[in-house]
Amino acid sequence: MADGPTWKEYPMAATISEPGSATGQNTGDWRSERPVRNPEKCDKCGICWIYCPDAALFMDEEGFYEVDLYHCKGCGICARECGKDAIEMIEEGE
Amino acid sequence: MAEKTQSAEFIPRLLPPWELLAEGHRGCQGCGEALALRQILKAAGPDTIVCSATGCMEIITSPYPETAWRIPWIHVAFENAAAVASGVEAGIKILQKHGRYREGKVNIIAIGGDGGTADIGLQALSGALERRHDFTYVCTDNEAYMNTGIQRSSATPFGASTTPSPAGKESIGQRTEKKDLPMIVAAHNLPYLATACPSYPLDLMNKTRRALSTEGPTYLHVLSPCPTGWRHPIDMAVEMGRLAVESGVFPLYEIIDGKLRLNVEMNKRRPVAEYLKPQGRFRHLGPEQIEEIQRFVNEYYDRLIYRSQCDAEAPPTPHEE
């Protein structure tokens, strides 16, 4: 900590001026299983997207929901809630 | 069931695209509370100021010097989220009056967990409701103090094993029943109060919108399944919320101008055992205790049905269309 900034360099009252700066955090390395989508079964309903606690899904140009593996913590809610069983959890490293 | 109507109407492209709770927050895997917050902020939109009591949602979103919030946010002590929200509301009002703040409505949301609302922040909440500030209080109820290590709160249900009320030879875990917080809040005669659950996202977002657009103090009680504290599998947060609603443990209702309306009146409900079984905190319960919980739930649910029927027959309130 000695090399880091001291209290004098931090803004007053510990304000954080950059909104959403936690985005830089790689929470994806918590993951032990990763979701893999089967594009043939997926009907783009978006249930996985609305149920993701980490907002780790985004829509690609074709309207499919892709997983942002930098932030996905691998909880598996998307795989469980998918009505079409289009998402499968695969162990990391396979 | 509500689920069916939901999938019929669910069109993701029509939902707000913004993510005001940034990805990269440090919530546990499969956190139901972060999910609830994400959906609430989707409905609230960028013109929102959030005052947050200490709790999981404060811990996971703001490890200094980073923040997961993309809207103005202030963290205050455990007990005074509602008091600070009243101050923000009064401050904006007076600045607008002097022309030093842009015109238009600003949504003010105070967020507290069940500990910050039912135990520690109850007096501040009561005061703010009584002063009739125009804000929305959101209680994200995960039924214990989860961020400090699963300590019981007054919102912990009967029979749950927590660290200060562990299950063992002499104890069945939490001995008292869950405090009926929404009804305590409803006694302040609010224009709008609702219970919701992130397992029903459209319902939660609609209730959020209605609460924010209603003039005066409004309250949302959101059940937030917690895989860490409830000790259920990490992929089951949404499923647990659904089971809680379908078994009648957590009925979804709204109280508008003093009139209670059940969103789904279920005459046939799932057995409570289905809700209790996946949760490690209820693992020690025997059949007699489960039966006792079932009886509590039935009585509570019947009381709600009775009240909703009485309220439906009552003369219309002045605000009712």
Side-chain angles (χ1 to χ4, degrees):
Chain A
M1 278 306 284
D3 302 330
T6 64
W7 63 273
K8 287 174 195 157
E9 280 114 62
Y10 281 115
M12 202 195 283
T15 49
I16 306 171
S17 49
E18 191 196 335
S21 53
T23 321
Q25 192 72 18
N26 181 10
T27 49
D29 60 6
W30 302 9
R31 194 172 56 235
S32 55
E33 288 181 323
R34 72 170 179 278
V36 176
R37 185 175 50 83
N38 180 350
E40 283 167 19
K41 285 186 185 171
C42 176
D43 67 350
K44 311 180 186 176
C45 70
I47 287 281
C48 50
W49 170 74
I50 196 65
Y51 280 137
C52 179
D54 298 301
L57 287 138
F58 59 92
M59 197 191 277
D60 64 9
E61 303 91 63
E62 290 173 53
F64 286 114
Y65 284 92
E66 279 298 335
V67 184
D68 165 14
L69 289 173
Y70 190 74
H71 293 117
C72 169
K73 293 171 188 161
C75 66
I77 288 182
C78 49
R80 193 181 182 93
E81 295 305 321
C82 178
K84 301 277 172 198
D85 285 331
I87 302 177
E88 205 183 340
M89 298 304 285
I90 292 179
E91 207 150 311
E92 284 292 338
E94 274 180 28
Chain B
M1 266 313 301
E3 202 192 332
K4 274 181 202 152
T5 53
Q6 198 172 76
S7 51
E9 295 164 10
F10 184 78
I11 305 167
R13 282 168 203 271
L14 298 183
L15 292 180
W18 47 64
E19 301 291 352
L20 299 175
L21 187 70
E23 53 283 3
H25 65 74
R26 303 334 186 251
C28 305
Q29 293 169 305
C31 175
E33 203 170 351
L35 174 59
L37 202 56
R38 178 177 165 233
Q39 295 175 356
I40 289 169
L41 293 177
K42 262 189 188 304
D47 287 342
T48 306
I49 296 177
V50 176
C51 309
S52 201
T54 304
C56 279
M57 287 306 103
E58 173 261 323
I59 302 283
I60 66 162
T61 55
S62 64
Y64 196 73
E66 285 179 354
T67 178
W69 298 83
R70 292 193 168 119
I71 47 176
W73 175 81
I74 179 171
H75 162 231
V76 285
F78 230 134
E79 65 277 11
N80 52 8
V84 171
S86 343
V88 171
E89 190 254 358
I92 288 178
K93 213 190 259 174
I94 200 75
L95 285 174
Q96 279 177 338
K97 197 174 161 190
H98 290 288
R100 287 167 60 191
Y101 200 91
R102 69 171 174 75
E103 288 296 314
K105 179 160 165 75
V106 181
N107 300 322
I108 294 152
I109 302 182
I111 290 175
D114 56 301
T117 311
D119 296 349
I120 306 175
L122 190 57
Q123 44 82 17
L125 173 62
S126 180
L129 298 175
E130 175 268 322
R131 291 190 300 270
R132 285 296 189 251
H133 289 286
D134 184 11
F135 79 116
T136 297
Y137 195 97
V138 178
C139 171
T140 48
D141 181 4
N142 53 17
E143 305 195 320
Y145 291 87
M146 296 308 182
N147 84 68
T148 47
I150 324 168
Q151 282 84 17
R152 70 159 287 257
S153 76
S154 58
T156 306
F158 174 81
S161 171
T162 64
T163 43
S165 65
K169 268 187 209 150
E170 301 288 327
S171 157
I172 57 147
Q174 173 74 354
R175 280 172 296 134
T176 54
E177 277 194 63
K178 186 179 165 102
K179 188 190 263 186
D180 194 357
L181 190 60
M183 289 301 173
I184 296 175
V185 175
H188 293 78
N189 209 2
L190 303 191
Y192 186 78
L193 175 152
T195 61
C197 179
S199 308
Y200 301 92
L202 289 184
D203 181 62
L204 174 56
M205 288 192 225
N206 287 340
K207 283 173 173 170
T208 308
R209 276 198 200 103
R210 173 141 193 186
L212 289 169
S213 59
T214 305
E215 191 104 353
T218 49
Y219 178 81
L220 280 179
H221 195 92
V222 185
L223 184 76
S224 323
C226 171
T228 311
W230 295 14
R231 304 199 179 102
H232 61 71
I234 51 170
D235 60 347
M236 274 193 72
V238 173
E239 184 71 33
M240 286 320 300
R242 203 175 285 137
L243 286 171
V245 171
E246 289 180 3
S247 63
V249 173
F250 188 79
L252 298 183
Y253 58 83
E254 290 169 293
I255 302 181
I256 305 162
D257 288 325
K259 281 192 175 184
L260 187 140
R261 191 171 66 87
L262 276 170
N263 295 118
V264 198
E265 195 179 312
M266 294 174 293
N267 294 318
K268 229 180 137 190
R269 298 186 293 275
R270 279 172 187 265
V272 169
E274 280 184 33
Y275 166 69
L276 302 180
K277 211 177 162 199
Q279 300 183 49
R281 59 176 183 162
F282 292 119
R283 190 179 292 143
H284 56 283
L285 293 182
E288 301 106 67
Q289 281 123 13
I290 291 180
E291 208 157 288
E292 203 178 337
I293 294 176
Q294 180 74 60
R295 212 179 54 241
F296 291 153
V297 169
N298 287 353
E299 277 173 19
Y300 180 67
Y301 204 86
D302 289 345
R303 269 207 309 277
L304 277 184
I305 290 183
Y306 180 70
R307 183 172 165 191
S308 70
Q309 285 167 349
C310 291
D311 284 353
E313 287 166 15
T317 51
H319 298 100
E320 228 163 27
E321 292 147 351

